[in-house]
Amino acid sequence: MTQYNWLEAINVNEDMLIKTKQRLPVIWISALDCTGCKEAFTRSFEPTTLDTILNFISLEYSELLSVASGDRVEAHKESIFEKYSGEYILAIEGSIPGSDEFLMIGGKSVREKIIHAAKRAKAVIAFGSCSAWGGIPAAGKNPTNAVDIRAIIPEEVPVALVPGCPPIPEVIIGTLLHVHFHGKLPELDKKLRPKVYYQTTVHMACHRKPYFDQKLFAESYDDEGARKGYCLFKIGCKGPTAFNACESMGYDRCISAGFSCIGCSERGFWDKGGFYGKRKK
Ligand code: SF4
Ligand code: SF4
């Protein structure tokens, strides 16, 4: 059961809701991604993605979700740079390949496209661990020499990182809505993550923490302790070092399902096992 209230989280009162405000223009560019972050964007419940798009943000461009395609949508994106210069949010999903030939959009490298779009953006928000830290494309031997968003964005452009693989849908929406209602990015921590969502570890809010405190642990995924819902620390749970809001917001899927936290919001999690590798304790 969720205990998340988006109005409280981003400090929005009813007066602010009632006042008509121009929707926040958002341009969403996908680089080396799996579309998982964008799929997460479509799945928010608090508020719903539909409410968000109809009332608060205007998704002007997304290779995956735009109605138009090809030259038309590319031309529309260029028109947004002019019309909403300094007002739109540039959302980035996926890491950026070191060599331009690995990913082109409309005949230009994705790197050029992002740098061009960032110049007149109000702020850049990196959604997902790929754009925030490099993610799976940068893992292992990093065959495309992928880098995170901060490696290519001009220093003067404000940047927020919203890591997770994918991030929690309501965290994606909440970060965008903060900009819509307050005109600026939410307060960020030292790693540029919105404090409201990343200020504590999964462990500190975990519903299994009472078992951790009593030293009651599952020793394997099918033992008696696992069946009783004991703490998963001894089978590799990364909750104690993972800063994310899954448990504090009540949107935990992994630990409730009996699977240990893989720390998907932390830098380098793919090299520490990702989804499929052997759990390292
Ligand atoms: S962060 Fe995860 S969900 Fe998002 S694009 Fe990367 S691999 Fe996909
Ligand atoms: S299951 Fe993981 S996050 Fe939860 S209390 Fe145990 S170690 Fe911490």
Side-chain angles (χ1 to χ4, degrees):
M1 177 71 82
T2 175
Q3 56 261 15
Y4 178 64
N5 179 317
W6 73 274
L7 296 167
E8 282 176 15
I10 63 172
N11 203 14
V12 170
N13 59 39
E14 287 190 1
D15 282 350
M16 293 161 86
L17 270 183
I18 291 165
K19 277 182 193 152
T20 308
K21 208 167 181 241
Q22 179 188 294
R23 287 180 298 153
L24 177 71
V26 175
I27 290 179
W28 187 304
I29 296 182
S30 302
L32 296 174
D33 73 308
C34 74
T35 76
C37 294
K38 207 174 300 90
E39 289 188 35
F41 166 75
T42 66
R43 284 166 166 72
S44 175
F45 287 99
E46 177 69 27
T48 65
T49 306
L50 187 62
D51 271 352
T52 302
I53 287 181
L54 291 178
N55 296 308
F56 309 129
I57 75 163
S58 180
L59 186 61
E60 297 288 345
Y61 175 93
S62 149
E63 290 105 286
L64 194 71
L65 301 176
S66 296
V67 176
S69 62
D71 290 344
R72 284 190 178 183
V73 76
E74 289 300 315
H76 178 68
K77 182 174 65 175
E78 286 298 321
S79 75
I80 295 300
F81 297 154
E82 298 291 334
K83 190 172 173 188
Y84 296 111
S85 181
E87 294 174 38
Y88 62 88
I89 287 294
L90 176 61
I92 302 296
E93 171 182 13
S95 46
I96 296 86
S99 306
D100 288 346
E101 66 267 25
F102 280 119
L103 183 57
M104 311 280 281
I105 301 173
K108 286 194 176 157
S109 76
V110 74
R111 172 187 298 265
E112 279 178 81
K113 290 275 186 183
I114 291 173
I115 292 171
H116 176 59
K119 281 181 185 157
R120 281 183 275 181
K122 182 183 194 71
V124 174
I125 306 180
F127 289 118
S129 291
C130 291
S131 52
W133 315 128
I136 188 170
K141 293 184 178 167
N142 190 355
T144 61
N145 293 319
V147 294
D148 61 57
I149 191 68
R150 292 182 66 205
I152 68 160
I153 292 293
E155 273 187 17
E156 62 275 14
V157 180
V159 176
L161 308 182
V162 179
C165 189
I168 298 166
E170 287 73 11
V171 171
I172 296 175
I173 297 284
T175 305
L176 289 169
L177 290 186
H178 189 284
V179 181
H180 171 72
F181 284 106
H182 300 288
K184 59 182 183 183
L185 289 171
E187 189 181 356
L188 306 176
D189 66 12
K190 282 184 187 161
K191 292 187 176 176
L192 301 182
R193 302 169 297 195
K195 270 188 181 172
V196 62
Y197 298 119
Y198 293 91
Q199 61 192 338
T200 188
T201 60
V202 171
H203 176 72
M204 292 310 286
C206 181
H207 63 284
R208 297 193 190 218
K209 191 162 179 296
Y211 293 124
F212 177 91
D213 294 339
Q214 295 172 69
K215 298 186 171 43
L216 292 171
F217 300 105
E219 303 277 345
S220 72
Y221 281 112
D222 58 357
D223 71 1
E224 192 56 23
R227 277 188 282 280
K228 285 180 173 168
Y230 288 173
C231 171
L232 305 167
F233 182 71
K234 287 195 176 178
I235 42 180
C237 184
K238 301 286 192 299
T241 53
F243 284 81
N244 208 346
C246 319
E247 288 285 334
S248 59
M249 288 170 74
Y251 285 119
D252 154 53
R253 306 279 191 275
C254 313
I255 294 172
S256 288
F259 191 71
S260 56
C261 170
I262 59 175
C264 73
S265 57
E266 293 299 306
R267 182 186 285 277
F269 94 96
W270 281 102
D271 287 321
K272 295 172 192 156
F275 292 139
Y276 310 111
K278 194 176 169 189
R279 302 262 76 75
K280 289 178 187 165
K281 295 183 184 179

